[in-house]
């Protein structure tokens, strides 16, 4: 099997690192872009020539006409959200016909999942997760509980059929546990059965499709959603999402072997943000956060919520992904600062930890240990810079320090929201790989 040339792109913080832009940038070098987990809780923003596209479910590769996009079995799909996104792309002249495939094994999100989530969040009160309210968690719960509904189940919408039976049982359970007016399972079933006609042409065994693509040597980009610290196993549990946003999620969420992954590109923002509740050791006070939020336009792409902002946390950039290289985004947002901080460890009691403690209480007891570096305000800008030699010396020093602490070389530096505001280090693993293994942008595959 051809194993080189395939790359996994993963968020290395709490999501919102700017994966959309990086995937968009790399997509022309790939034949296939495949999404492995999450749902329309994700919000991938891509700006092309001043035009903004926000994608939630469909991989950002869809903006490139030569690329086929796959929504894998590990994704949870709200059919209404999927159709809305397809319609939006078509309205803007981007035809997805024949270029978008959905796994028949992916689980669906139906209206009762959202109701169950709203009730759970309200029950939790002050301990609520602060989810995106899209029904993501309950859909994964039903999957693990083995009474979930998969895309392929939508094909059998007959009265008395499998879909009807599952929906009757699931809506019955929802009506027993959620206060307020009951939901009529028949109308949920009829709506669910109706989507099949439109969905059917997209549905396939995507694991087989990817296997064949890999066999044929067609380069595949594996696109993760959310980020490492939101991973259900390795993140700040329980303040996490309900899927594996780390590298293992690529294999289980797409049905591909680990040897298919030729490299892992971790995306980090030059500082840290988080939406929703949960611990955030390097969080700034409101005045500091507000400045970064304004400069970086840090509002959730899915929910519009203001993002919490803080310093770069090198402890949080975990080893679990085996990252080959990093892409650093939003360096330009730091252009305004005289001084920068990087968290190099967590102090708890008398000891300094270099790994986050596994419990929420343990994490809450940690104080970040900071290293302070000079900023470059007044000594140049990074905004819009496309040649590394034009970066201010302090910006280069900041990058070098983050590289050393994270243990992976920075391959790509993003200096603005547009596609063009980017530096690709040709001598980095990803740059060398792009040069050697993958066709350049726009070339035929
Ligand atoms: P859920 O994924 O909607 O269940 O939300 C669980 C947690 O993950 C919440 O803190 C959300 O804000 C966060 N989250 C989910 N998706 C994203 C994302 O794409 N970017 C950033 N945070 C996210």
């Amino acid at each position: 099997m051809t194993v080189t040339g395939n790359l996994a792109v993963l968020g290395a913080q709490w999501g919102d690192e700017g994966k959309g832009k990086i995937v968009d940038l790399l997509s022309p070098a790939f034949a296939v872009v495949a999404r492995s987990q999450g749902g329309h809780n994700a919000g991938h923003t891509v700006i092309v020539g001043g035009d903004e596209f926000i994608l939630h479910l469909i991989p950002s590769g869809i903006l490139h006409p030569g690329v086929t996009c796959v929504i894998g079995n590990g994704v949870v799909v709200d059919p209404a959200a999927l159709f809305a996104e397809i319609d939006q792309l078509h309205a803007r002249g981007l035809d997805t016909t024949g270029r978008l495939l959905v796994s028949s094994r992916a689980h669906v999100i139906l209206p009762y999942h959202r109701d169950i989530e709203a009730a759970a969040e309200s029950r939790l009160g002050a301990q609520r997760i602060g989810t995106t309210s899209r029904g993501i968690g309950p859909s994964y719960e039903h999957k693990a509980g083995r009474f979930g509904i998969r895309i392929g189940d939508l094909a059998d919408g007959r009265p008395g059929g499998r879909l009807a039976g599952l929906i009757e049982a699931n809506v019955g359970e929802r009506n027993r546990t959620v206060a307020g007016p009951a939901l009529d399972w028949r109308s949920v079933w009829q709506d669910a059965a109706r989507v099949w006609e439109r969905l059917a042409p997209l549905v396939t065994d995507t694991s087989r499709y990817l296997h064949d693509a890999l066999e044929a040597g067609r380069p595949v980009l594996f696109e993760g959603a959310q980020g490492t610290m939101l991973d259900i196993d390795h993140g700040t549990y329980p303040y996490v999402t309900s899927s594996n946003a780390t590298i293992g999620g690529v294999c289980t969420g797409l049905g591909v072997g680990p040897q298919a992954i030729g490299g892992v590109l971790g995306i980090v923002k030059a500082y840290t943000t988080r939406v929703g509740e949960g611990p955030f050791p390097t969080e700034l006070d409101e005045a500091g956060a507000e400045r970064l939020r304004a400069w970086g336009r840090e509002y959730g792409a899915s929910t519009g919520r203001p993002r919490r902002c803080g310093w770069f946390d090198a402890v949080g950039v975990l080893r679990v992904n085996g990252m080959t290289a990093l892409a650093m985004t939003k360096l330009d947002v730091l252009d305004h600062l005289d001084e920068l901080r990087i968290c190099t460890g967590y102090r708890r009691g008398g000891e300094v930890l270099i790994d986050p403690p596994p419990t929420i209480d343990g994490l809450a007891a940690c104080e970040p240990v900071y290293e302070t570096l000079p900023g470059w305000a007044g000594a140049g800008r990074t905004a819009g810079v496309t040649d590394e030699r034009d970066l201010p010396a302090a910006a280069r020093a900041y990058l070098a320090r983050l590289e050393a602490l994270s243990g992976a070389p920075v391959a790509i530096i993003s200096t603005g929201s547009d596609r063009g505001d980017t530096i690709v280090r040709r001598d980095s693993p990803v740059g060398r790989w792009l040069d050697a293994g993958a066709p350049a942008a726009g070339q035929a595959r």
Side-chain angles (χ1 to χ4, degrees):
M1 185 163 77
T2 310
V3 292
T4 52
N6 308 307
L7 185 71
V9 175
L10 302 175
Q13 296 162 319
W14 272 287
D16 303 323
E17 297 92 351
K19 290 179 290 295
K21 170 174 168 170
I22 303 298
V23 170
D24 170 67
L25 191 80
L26 295 172
S27 288
F30 294 87
V32 181
V33 178
R35 164 96 183 259
S36 46
Q37 43 73 229
H40 63 311
N41 48 353
H44 294 163
T45 307
V46 183
I47 299 183
V48 189
D51 270 356
E52 186 179 76
F53 293 85
I54 300 181
L55 295 156
H56 300 282
L57 259 176
I58 302 177
S60 317
I62 204 75
L63 303 181
H64 297 270
V67 173
T68 299
C69 288
V70 169
I71 295 177
N73 58 278
V75 178
V76 284
V77 179
D78 181 332
L82 178 65
F83 293 152
E85 214 164 298
I86 293 172
D87 290 344
Q88 210 182 81
L89 287 168
H90 284 199
R92 296 177 68 177
L94 272 155
D95 192 359
T96 64
T97 313
R99 297 199 295 122
L100 180 60
L101 303 173
V102 180
S103 170
S104 43
R105 293 187 173 88
H107 279 248
V108 295
I109 300 177
L110 293 173
Y112 55 84
H113 290 120
R114 283 189 290 278
D115 299 342
I116 294 169
E117 180 170 10
E121 283 283 84
S122 117
R123 254 196 318 275
L124 283 169
Q127 268 87 49
R128 72 186 185 284
I129 310 297
T131 68
T132 58
S133 312
R134 304 275 158 100
I136 308 292
S139 179
Y140 279 118
E141 282 171 41
H142 287 192
K143 173 180 177 174
R146 288 153 298 173
F147 49 91
I149 296 173
R150 309 207 288 184
I151 291 280
D153 294 324
L154 300 175
D156 178 12
R158 289 170 302 124
R162 181 175 159 72
L163 180 67
L166 281 167
I167 290 182
E168 184 177 7
N170 289 349
V171 171
E173 180 62 18
R174 176 257 178 232
N175 288 343
R176 277 188 292 282
T177 52
V178 175
L183 207 56
D184 173 19
W185 74 265
R186 281 182 195 79
S187 84
V188 178
W189 157 58
Q190 279 155 5
D191 288 348
R194 217 171 285 133
V195 301
W196 180 249
E197 200 181 329
R198 183 167 180 199
L199 206 51
L202 315 185
V203 178
T204 192
D205 179 341
T206 50
S207 168
R208 161 56 64 186
Y209 176 84
L210 288 169
H211 179 85
D212 291 347
L214 292 164
E215 281 284 311
R218 299 173 71 216
V220 179
L221 189 154
F222 303 109
E223 181 188 301
Q226 288 83 45
T228 301
M229 296 300 276
L230 286 173
D231 180 276
I232 190 161
D233 285 286
H234 299 285
T236 49
Y237 189 90
Y239 296 96
V240 291
T241 193
S242 303
S243 62
N244 283 115
T246 48
I247 190 67
V250 170
C251 293
T252 54
L254 288 166
V256 295
Q259 73 277 29
I261 304 168
V264 182
L265 181 66
I267 316 297
V268 288
K269 209 177 269 190
Y271 47 100
T272 310
T273 61
R274 146 159 234 181
V275 272
E277 308 303 321
F280 182 0
T282 64
E283 185 166 17
L284 282 157
D285 62 18
E286 191 42 37
E290 184 46 46
R291 291 196 307 165
L292 277 184
R293 192 176 298 133
W295 295 328
R297 293 181 302 285
E298 294 294 354
Y299 295 89
S302 283
T303 59
R305 290 180 291 178
R307 294 179 184 142
R308 299 158 65 190
C309 298
W311 297 117
F312 189 90
D313 184 350
V315 180
V317 178
L318 299 177
R319 316 160 310 282
V320 293
N321 294 310
M323 288 179 301
T324 317
L326 295 173
M328 175 156 306
T329 62
K330 292 200 156 180
L331 185 61
D332 54 300
V333 173
L334 303 181
D335 280 0
H336 311 268
L337 292 170
D338 296 319
E339 200 174 80
L340 301 165
R341 287 174 154 203
I342 304 174
C343 171
T344 57
Y346 293 162
R347 182 169 290 112
R348 195 179 53 176
E351 54 176 348
V352 173
L353 310 176
I354 55 163
D355 292 307
T359 65
I360 228 62
D361 292 343
L363 201 50
C366 288
E367 285 285 324
V369 177
Y370 285 120
E371 210 172 276
T372 303
L373 277 80
W376 50 91
R381 290 152 50 90
T382 69
V385 169
T386 53
D387 184 331
E388 192 174 353
R389 288 166 298 191
D390 297 334
L391 290 177
R396 274 184 272 141
Y398 183 68
L399 281 168
R401 190 65 190 126
L402 295 193
E403 262 182 330
L405 289 166
S406 310
V410 172
I412 297 175
I413 304 156
S414 170
T415 58
S417 50
D418 207 83
R419 244 183 214 168
D421 301 330
T422 314
I423 300 167
V424 178
R425 283 178 162 170
R426 288 293 166 196
D427 62 345
S428 69
V430 171
R432 272 197 300 275
W433 171 86
L434 276 175
D435 283 343
Q443 281 182 9
R445 270 173 281 272

